[in-house]
Amino acid sequence: MARGRHTRIRSGIIFFLVLAVLTAGTYMAWPLVTDQGGWRLPWAQKGSGRIVHIRARQAPVSLDIRTEPGRAADQALMGNVYQTLTRPDAKGRPTPGLAQNWEVSANGLLYTFHLRNDARFADGRRLTSEDAL
């Protein structure tokens, strides 16, 4: 009888511990699910849009993706620093980026990109085909 009582007490304690963990998890996750509350995921925070924070294990030596080793740096730089001729839409299909449109040769080996007229560098200089190349 004493053994059965201890088993019930242990089961009750485990039940309340699991209930407490689930309640705490729900309490912490609710602001993320409903987009209400005092804290947000880093990528969901509203701000001025002037500062981009990228977490990396190691700082890149350069912002030139041609000389910087490693795919992680390429991915972070490509999406956050550089604009590209095309960019993927939600389904992964290419859509205009710096190129307003493009043509593909009949054999699929030659792509001709037509740059946007308003494509400029941060200093105001117009983007040319030599820059894109």
Side-chain angles (χ1 to χ4, degrees):
M1 176 122 166
R3 184 177 196 128
R5 183 175 180 205
H6 288 294
T7 302
R8 282 190 307 229
I9 291 173
R10 188 177 321 134
S11 296
I13 291 172
I14 291 172
F15 171 78
F16 283 112
L17 285 174
V18 169
L19 182 64
V21 168
L22 290 174
T23 303
T26 303
Y27 176 77
M28 292 174 65
W30 190 253
L32 298 175
V33 173
T34 62
D35 200 28
Q36 299 173 356
W39 61 285
R40 306 232 187 296
L41 291 170
W43 53 85
Q45 292 180 0
K46 296 178 178 118
S48 67
R50 293 184 181 172
I51 298 174
V52 175
H53 296 277
I54 301 172
R55 295 186 188 262
R57 292 182 184 203
Q58 186 176 10
V61 176
S62 155
L63 294 181
D64 186 348
I65 60 173
R66 297 170 299 162
T67 60
E68 182 61 31
R71 290 290 299 149
D74 292 357
Q75 296 289 331
L77 293 173
M78 191 62 70
N80 294 298
V81 176
Y82 299 114
Q83 290 188 30
T84 55
L85 292 172
T86 63
R87 58 181 146 229
D89 66 6
K91 294 185 178 181
R93 295 176 301 216
T95 59
L98 290 173
Q100 62 186 2
N101 56 36
W102 56 92
E103 299 154 6
V104 183
S105 66
N107 64 4
L109 298 177
L110 180 66
Y111 286 71
T112 304
F113 291 93
H114 301 276
L115 299 176
R116 292 186 350 227
N117 291 329
D118 62 346
R120 301 197 178 278
F121 287 95
D123 64 3
R125 187 171 58 87
R126 189 169 183 268
L127 177 74
T128 66
S129 58
E130 289 80 22
D131 297 321
L133 182 61

